[in-house]
Amino acid sequence: MKITKILGGAAVALASFSLQAQAETWDMPTPYPDATFHTANIHDFAKDVAEATNGELEINVHSAGSLFKHPEISKAVRSGQVPIGEFFLSLLNNDNPAFGADSLPFLATSYDDAERLWAAQKDTIDALLDAQGLMALYAVPWPPQGLYTTKEINSVDDLAGLKFRTYNSTLEQFVTLAGAAPTQVEVPDIPQAFSTGRVEAMITSPSTGVTSKAWDFLSHYTDIQAWVPKNIVVVNKRAFRRLDDATQKAVLEAAARAEARGWEMSKAETAAQVAVLEENGITIIQPSDELMSGLRSIGTQMLEDWKASAGAEGEALLSAYQQ
Ligand code: PCA
């Protein structure tokens, strides 16, 4: 009796020890607030992974740049400081122009275009990330990007001199060519940047307009649908390889589900969040032909610059997209 008890206790202790030894927690930095659909999707992804692995892999999401600031996230995953993270794919444009293709103005402006562009980009991006010790898990687009201002904008000239919030180098170039003055501001800092007068206009999605309560500091939304940029979730390859086969498989399956779910969430967001902007008093405007042709010609110039810097790799990517 006594012996069985002891053995039983030892068996229980052993079992819980081996569970503890296997169970792992991954800290996951992300740049955007919890109210963002991308972040909600990541929380679901983490839940799926935990469930599929019986809690052996827990992903602990640190949103809104709380663990690493957005520009640091890719480096933190690369160096292994964290095993997994999310960031805006085209932030890596400075490493290689192929990363920035989805942020080129008017190259891909609908979800169908965005899907074809992602298919055309994917192999190149995978190879570039692989060389950095990273592996892509999934990518999800933001809704098409629109123009937020404090007045009606009918032409590129109307943008001249505006203090303009930007989020990457391609947007910075676009804004500069439009004659406005760019300032890089991360999403969690948008309300303060506007309320203190550091910026007075921005190009972003209806989603980010809503999560930052654009109606508190802006009045007009012009639906220019300029590009459909993506967020990407990556893992550190070494950290991934340390997982056993079943856990690796669970992560990849949850990632595939998150990608499919995220694209649907993004599509559903577009109209829904424009409606929220409108309900809160923002004037929604269809762009004038003059504004669009002015912006498009800036886009054409930027595509030429991009081609020149992206070389043969860029050409292959573009021709795959334009097939
Ligand atoms: N929101 C993010 C990226 C694109 C978007 O729609 C931002 O404004 O930074």
Side-chain angles (χ1 to χ4, degrees):
M1 193 60 183
K2 222 176 185 180
I3 291 171
T4 332
K5 253 191 186 161
I6 291 169
L7 277 180
V12 169
L14 207 71
S16 65
F17 173 78
S18 69
L19 268 183
Q20 261 172 15
Q22 280 180 17
E24 202 175 335
T25 300
W26 277 7
D27 284 309
M28 176 170 188
T30 80
Y32 304 104
D34 279 321
T36 313
F37 74 94
H38 287 284
T39 318
N41 192 31
I42 286 172
H43 282 290
D44 287 348
F45 164 71
K47 220 170 102 212
D48 283 353
V49 169
E51 272 172 24
T53 63
N54 290 318
E56 278 180 27
L57 181 59
E58 300 274 351
I59 295 175
N60 194 0
V61 181
H62 301 268
S63 59
S66 57
L67 186 60
F68 286 96
K69 296 278 171 224
H70 193 180
E72 304 303 321
I73 292 177
S74 61
K75 293 174 206 137
V77 185
R78 225 177 278 166
S79 67
Q81 283 172 285
V82 285
I84 187 168
E86 179 205 32
F87 53 87
F88 194 57
L89 177 61
S90 56
L91 275 191
L92 299 189
N93 185 49
N94 296 336
D95 294 350
N96 188 298
F99 287 118
D102 67 13
S103 292
L104 288 169
F106 306 107
L107 180 63
T109 61
S110 67
Y111 283 100
D112 284 349
D113 287 355
E115 238 175 279
R116 283 189 303 113
L117 181 59
W118 181 219
Q121 253 184 322
K122 183 99 192 355
D123 288 348
T124 311
I125 300 269
D126 280 344
L128 290 168
L129 290 176
D130 188 71
Q132 299 186 349
L134 299 174
M135 183 177 87
L137 284 183
Y138 69 88
V140 170
W142 290 90
Q145 305 288 291
L147 172 64
Y148 292 80
T149 51
T150 55
K151 58 176 186 185
E152 202 175 314
I153 301 292
N154 291 308
S155 67
V156 172
D157 285 348
D158 291 342
L159 298 171
L162 291 183
K163 289 183 277 179
F164 216 103
R165 180 258 165 175
T166 58
Y167 53 57
N168 68 1
S169 59
T170 29
L171 179 52
E172 196 173 309
Q173 192 190 358
F174 188 60
V175 159
T176 306
L177 290 169
T183 298
Q184 177 82 22
V185 178
E186 291 300 332
V187 167
D189 305 324
I190 288 176
Q192 208 202 356
F194 276 94
S195 66
T196 56
R198 275 180 69 215
V199 292
E200 55 189 337
M202 64 180 176
I203 287 178
T204 186
S205 58
S207 312
T208 296
V210 169
T211 56
S212 39
K213 295 190 163 51
W215 47 87
D216 285 347
F217 39 82
L218 290 160
S219 53
H220 290 68
Y221 177 76
T222 310
D223 191 19
I224 58 173
Q225 305 195 4
W227 56 91
V228 181
K230 294 180 291 292
N231 286 356
I232 193 162
V233 170
V234 300
V235 280
N236 177 290
K237 279 195 300 181
R238 270 171 291 128
F240 185 76
R241 284 200 206 111
R242 278 198 294 270
L243 301 173
D244 62 40
D245 288 352
T247 308
Q248 288 188 3
K249 191 162 165 266
V251 169
L252 295 179
E253 282 174 3
R257 277 202 298 282
E259 179 154 292
R261 184 174 58 226
W263 282 72
E264 290 313 310
M265 286 170 107
S266 183
K267 290 174 193 171
E269 282 271 309
T270 310
Q273 303 296 49
V274 170
V276 176
L277 292 173
E278 196 164 20
E279 277 159 29
N280 283 282
I282 299 257
T283 305
I284 312 294
I285 299 178
Q286 287 313 310
S288 70
D289 291 345
E290 189 186 357
L291 175 63
M292 286 308 277
S293 69
L295 293 178
R296 280 180 193 285
S297 65
I298 297 173
T300 305
Q301 182 181 343
M302 285 178 62
L303 183 60
E304 289 310 311
D305 291 354
W306 184 87
K307 279 187 200 158
S309 66
E313 215 166 41
E315 225 166 83
L317 194 162
L318 268 191
S319 70
Y321 170 62
Q322 279 156 350
Q323 249 172 36

